[in-house]
Amino acid sequence: MRTIFQMARKFSLSLVICVSALTTACSGGEDQQDGQLLSTTSTSTPPAVNSLTMVNGLVMNGYLANALVWIDLKDNGTLDGFEPFAYTDNQGYFSYNPVSGENYCRSGQEAHKRFCLETSVTKGDVIVRATKGVELLSGESFQGLITNKVSVASILEHFDTLSSIGPKPLGDDQLWQQNVNASLIKISPLSSLVYHLPEDTSLTAALDNLGLTTTSSVDVETLTSDDYIAGLTKDSASSNALFIAASTISGMVDVISSNLDEAAVSGNKNLDLGIDGLPVSSADMVYAALAEVLSSASFNTPSNAFFNIEQSTAHDTQIETLSKDVSNNLANTLLEKAIDKFAHSLLSVDDDKLVDGDKQAIVNRLNQLKGNTLIIDQTNGIFTITHSHINENNDTQASDTDANNTQARLLGANLSINLVTTNDKIAFQSSNKAAAIITLVEYLAAPQNPISEAFTQQSQDKLNSPDENTSVLSQNIDLFSFNDSLIATIEDDGNLSSLSQDNVEPTALVDIDDNNGSIWVNNALSLSGVHDQNEQGQVIAFFNADINNTIGANAGELRICVAYINPKDPKDNITGALFEGTWSAIGGNQNRLSLVAEGFTVQMKILGESLGRDISSEQQVNNLQRLPSESYGKFSFTLNNDSAIWHSDDSSINENYGLRAYTKLPENNDDCQTMLRLQP
């Protein structure tokens, strides 16, 4: 299992990303001359600040907070050492936040530098990619890769317009939103598909072939610049169409890419995507395969697409035909093409990065997934879920006269799709769990199922009573834990027939009142747990306020002490390692954090409390046992493709979840070794 401890071992030897680049771009820089990329050597003079082009935008896969964004000069799907990068803020923006009017590249605040993306490229096009981070609409981590290709001239032209618009106004903001849409780069599943589509295939034509037809005649630039999430609250037909199309495409790509990613690294514990020349995810190749399939003359859905996403109408007579087309012409073909493209990209990795033996072993594992019925069935389920949730004739929860009815169904569909993709990598599960995942997919695809009705009703309530403190419709639930509980129920009972909407309560996160101040600032949290039945670990995170106290109570500087014990391989042990970075609350609530430290990001959630007696002995470190009658903070965290639930080492007092005030910050590895209590 690729945990924070395995990452720590790698980073203790050499950092994949410049440590200094946590707050600014790597100092190497890059130049373009006659269309050829030139890596700047140590004797080169860095470009003057005023010669840099600020690249600003919004990352949309449900809005991605604390996502890694970079300019992929080599167009290889991975962050190379000379390529500039940044992170998105807690609303998904980088370089410039139009809501607040904050220019992160020119603010002068040290903590804002990590949100600033600049390049010395002055002409032509740049490829901007995004990965990692937290999806605000679902609350879950994002493991894929999305892309947009934009011209430098367009970036320069639009920024002057964007900066003149000013912050988001109170009250009616429709004109403001239209102006922002036209001036801000959007990186999304739609822009990723467009990036790979041939010039003779439009986005609308591709969506038609996908069975999601639109009536819009607007150009592709307008379609891909629409903030379709914000448009949901404005009853915009085009935004509704784009939102469900993006949700469907993203869900489908997630299912396939997660399995390909797992196949790539499953046979070699020393391989990790995103380092040693490997792409950060196979998702880009899945998008390329999808674009090829949807632009093919041989692939056509029925002449009248099964769902008009602008008019919210479905053609029931064509569902069976479409489902067969999807099964025969899309999911299977898409999987095969994605495998071939991903395998080809891996074979092209430089020999000094990846030896031929490893390359061929990965290709062999990938080829074994061709025709995998589990992956195909789960991919097909995404389309069926889309139909069953947005068919107006099937909706019985809200009055047809309710203006938010369509938007609530779309948000409910998005949550349902995210629910089934939180438990992905289906090809690598036990036969019982794989069967349970397919059962859950089929259950969610059934019209009027209680889970999706609950999601839709929850979205309806949010739309009727919008939260003025946040610009996103972020959900305060933990889909990962909810998914686990549903899968466990299916494995025990064989189905979910006993569920009704009244007893469907998705696992909620703890609601922490911001009015009482930050629970994080100037506190430390010690967590420990066990992985793979024998690997033990302890982490102590120190949440410092920003050095200039400029960000506020929901973000600041971070220091993490890590200890790790592997009884089977003691040379892997870590007695104390210090990592530095930043932390920030995500989604307008303190219960969800994103931690960024020296090249890796960890998403952490407070799930509540557990009594010591309820924490299984298999999940407790030997010398850090909890007291049976004491309460301890319960946390989930995600790093790359791995998620786990750990508990605090200190008891929870007055619902502080094990947080304790610290008197000293660790300054080096020796300090960490003194503070950590994990012992071999």
Side-chain angles (χ1 to χ4, degrees):
M1 190 174 191
R2 287 166 180 79
T3 66
I4 189 171
F5 310 109
Q6 289 173 302
M7 296 294 287
R9 292 200 303 273
K10 291 180 181 294
F11 284 107
S12 64
L13 299 175
S14 62
L15 298 181
V16 173
I17 304 172
C18 302
V19 175
S20 62
L22 288 170
T23 55
T24 187
C26 292
S27 59
E30 80 292 326
D31 291 309
Q32 287 272 16
Q33 182 176 1
D34 298 327
Q36 298 297 314
L37 174 67
L38 301 176
S39 297
T40 304
T41 65
S42 58
T43 59
S44 300
T45 302
V49 172
N50 59 11
S51 70
L52 296 178
T53 299
M54 182 177 69
V55 183
N56 58 88
L58 175 64
V59 181
M60 299 178 63
N61 202 92
Y63 292 142
L64 285 180
N66 266 31
L68 174 66
V69 186
W70 81 99
I71 297 175
D72 193 357
L73 295 165
K74 291 187 69 175
D75 191 15
N76 60 356
T78 193
L79 176 59
D80 296 292
F82 56 85
E83 292 174 336
F85 71 94
Y87 293 94
T88 59
D89 65 13
N90 62 6
Q91 292 177 306
Y93 295 102
F94 58 94
S95 293
Y96 183 82
N97 185 322
V99 177
S100 64
E102 185 70 66
N103 185 332
Y104 293 127
C105 297
R106 303 293 181 265
S107 73
Q109 297 181 16
E110 188 70 19
H112 283 171
K113 288 184 178 180
R114 72 180 187 274
F115 303 135
C116 173
L117 181 64
E118 293 182 311
T119 177
S120 59
V121 176
T122 58
K123 61 182 179 179
D125 298 329
V126 291
I127 299 169
V128 189
R129 300 191 190 272
T131 188
K132 312 304 178 187
V134 179
E135 294 185 356
L136 293 182
L137 284 185
S138 70
E140 299 302 324
S141 63
F142 175 66
Q143 305 301 334
L145 178 68
I146 49 179
T147 305
N148 199 351
K149 184 177 183 179
V150 293
S151 71
V152 175
S154 175
I155 294 170
L156 295 171
E157 175 187 354
H158 287 320
F159 180 70
D160 289 340
T161 303
L162 186 64
S163 58
S164 67
I165 294 172
K168 184 176 181 179
L170 296 175
D172 187 4
D173 64 349
Q174 190 162 351
L175 179 60
W176 176 89
Q177 187 67 60
Q178 290 173 357
N179 290 331
V180 168
N181 282 350
S183 306
L184 193 69
I185 299 168
K186 310 296 190 308
I187 308 175
S188 72
L190 299 178
S191 69
S192 301
L193 181 60
V194 169
Y195 171 66
H196 289 289
L197 282 173
E199 291 184 0
D200 60 354
T201 304
S202 68
L203 177 59
T204 53
L207 294 181
D208 285 346
N209 273 347
L210 196 58
L212 299 170
T213 190
T214 69
T215 57
S216 295
S217 58
V218 295
D219 59 89
V220 65
E221 184 176 354
T222 301
L223 285 175
T224 54
S225 67
D226 188 358
D227 183 348
Y228 46 79
I229 300 175
L232 283 178
T233 62
K234 297 173 174 54
D235 197 25
S236 165
S238 62
S239 293
N240 295 347
L242 296 173
F243 176 82
I244 197 60
S247 297
T248 305
I249 292 169
S250 176
M252 174 179 59
V253 172
D254 285 350
V255 168
I256 294 177
S257 64
S258 64
N259 284 280
L260 302 194
D261 290 350
E262 183 65 18
V265 299
S266 61
N268 189 333
K269 70 176 183 178
N270 295 318
L271 286 176
D272 278 294
L273 295 178
I275 65 174
D276 292 336
L278 295 174
V280 299
S281 170
S282 63
D284 191 51
M285 295 297 97
V286 183
Y287 277 111
L290 180 61
E292 183 177 327
V293 172
L294 296 182
S295 61
S296 171
S298 62
F299 178 78
N300 287 291
T301 53
S303 57
N304 295 315
F306 85 97
F307 187 75
N308 187 312
I309 42 184
E310 288 190 348
Q311 297 178 0
S312 296
T313 57
H315 305 287
D316 290 328
T317 57
Q318 297 186 10
I319 299 305
E320 184 177 351
T321 305
L322 177 73
S323 178
K324 189 177 298 183
D325 280 348
V326 168
S327 177
N328 294 334
N329 299 329
L330 180 58
N332 192 20
T333 304
L334 176 59
L335 176 60
E336 183 171 341
K337 287 183 177 295
I339 289 172
D340 288 342
K341 290 180 181 296
F342 189 38
H344 178 75
S345 71
L346 295 173
L347 290 174
S348 65
V349 173
D350 293 341
D351 291 340
D352 61 338
K353 300 286 187 180
L354 193 64
V355 299
D356 287 340
D358 282 340
K359 292 179 183 179
Q360 193 56 53
I362 295 173
V363 171
N364 292 341
R365 293 195 296 270
L366 289 172
N367 284 331
Q368 291 175 7
L369 295 181
K370 287 185 175 179
N372 187 289
T373 56
L374 292 170
I375 301 175
I376 293 170
D377 287 346
Q378 193 178 13
T379 305
N380 287 342
I382 302 297
F383 292 94
T384 315
I385 289 172
T386 298
H387 161 256
S388 66
H389 292 74
I390 55 184
N391 182 354
E392 191 168 27
N393 297 327
N394 286 334
D395 183 70
T396 61
Q397 298 182 95
S399 168
D400 290 339
T401 61
D402 192 320
N404 291 332
N405 184 25
T406 298
Q407 288 71 36
R409 287 202 313 279
L410 297 179
L411 287 166
N414 179 68
L415 282 173
S416 297
I417 290 171
N418 276 281
L419 179 63
V420 298
T421 57
T422 59
N423 202 331
D424 42 27
K425 297 181 287 190
I426 191 171
F428 297 87
Q429 306 293 344
S430 67
S431 58
N432 286 343
K433 188 167 186 179
I437 293 172
I438 295 300
T439 298
L440 177 59
V441 172
E442 293 172 346
Y443 185 87
L444 290 168
Q448 301 175 2
N449 71 80
I451 296 173
S452 298
E453 287 187 359
F455 284 153
T456 300
Q457 187 59 60
Q458 185 178 60
S459 299
Q460 185 90 45
D461 294 341
K462 278 184 167 289
L463 287 164
N464 289 338
S465 303
D467 185 353
E468 296 296 333
N469 296 321
T470 179
S471 62
V472 296
L473 294 167
S474 55
Q475 300 290 330
N476 196 37
I477 57 177
D478 180 34
L479 290 179
F480 183 84
S481 296
F482 186 41
N483 178 291
D484 268 2
S485 67
L486 292 171
I487 294 297
T489 299
I490 295 171
E491 288 185 292
D492 291 340
D493 301 340
N495 55 56
L496 294 171
S497 59
S498 61
L499 284 183
S500 67
Q501 189 173 354
D502 292 337
N503 60 26
V504 173
E505 295 184 3
T507 307
L509 299 173
V510 176
D511 189 12
I512 300 172
D513 187 359
D514 290 342
N515 294 327
N516 293 331
S518 173
I519 68 169
W520 303 103
V521 172
N522 297 327
N523 283 326
L525 176 66
S526 178
L527 296 165
S528 65
V530 179
H531 282 303
D532 294 342
Q533 298 180 342
N534 56 14
E535 298 177 8
Q536 304 176 31
Q538 183 185 16
V539 172
I540 306 178
F542 297 81
F543 301 95
N544 196 14
D546 177 54
I547 191 170
N548 297 318
N549 200 28
T550 54
I551 297 182
N554 286 322
E557 296 180 333
L558 173 73
R559 298 190 188 185
I560 299 179
C561 289
V562 174
Y564 168 79
I565 294 175
N566 184 354
K568 292 185 176 180
D569 197 353
K571 72 176 184 296
D572 285 342
N573 290 356
I574 300 172
T575 56
L578 174 66
F579 297 90
E580 298 184 50
T582 60
W583 66 274
S584 59
I586 298 300
N589 192 290
Q590 293 189 66
N591 59 18
R592 185 182 297 131
L593 296 184
S594 187
L595 315 179
V596 179
E598 299 187 13
F600 59 84
T601 62
V602 177
Q603 287 76 49
M604 187 171 72
K605 307 172 188 175
I606 305 177
L607 297 181
E609 296 178 332
S610 297
L611 288 173
R613 67 171 66 96
D614 296 328
I615 305 172
S616 66
S617 57
E618 291 80 8
Q619 287 300 311
Q620 298 199 50
V621 174
N622 293 336
N623 66 314
L624 292 171
Q625 295 288 322
R626 281 83 173 184
L627 297 174
S629 59
E630 294 283 341
S631 294
Y632 296 87
K634 182 180 181 181
F635 298 81
S636 72
F637 65 87
T638 301
L639 171 68
N640 294 339
N641 289 323
D642 291 316
S643 295
I645 294 178
W646 280 15
H647 289 82
S648 66
D649 296 316
D650 297 305
S651 60
S652 179
I653 301 173
N654 296 326
E655 295 185 338
N656 72 351
Y657 308 104
L659 283 157
R660 295 287 190 271
Y662 63 80
T663 56
K664 179 182 182 297
L665 285 171
E667 300 293 339
N668 49 49
N669 291 349
D670 289 339
D671 285 349
C672 282
Q673 187 171 352
T674 300
M675 295 174 177
L676 291 159
R677 291 178 282 166
L678 182 65
Q679 300 294 329

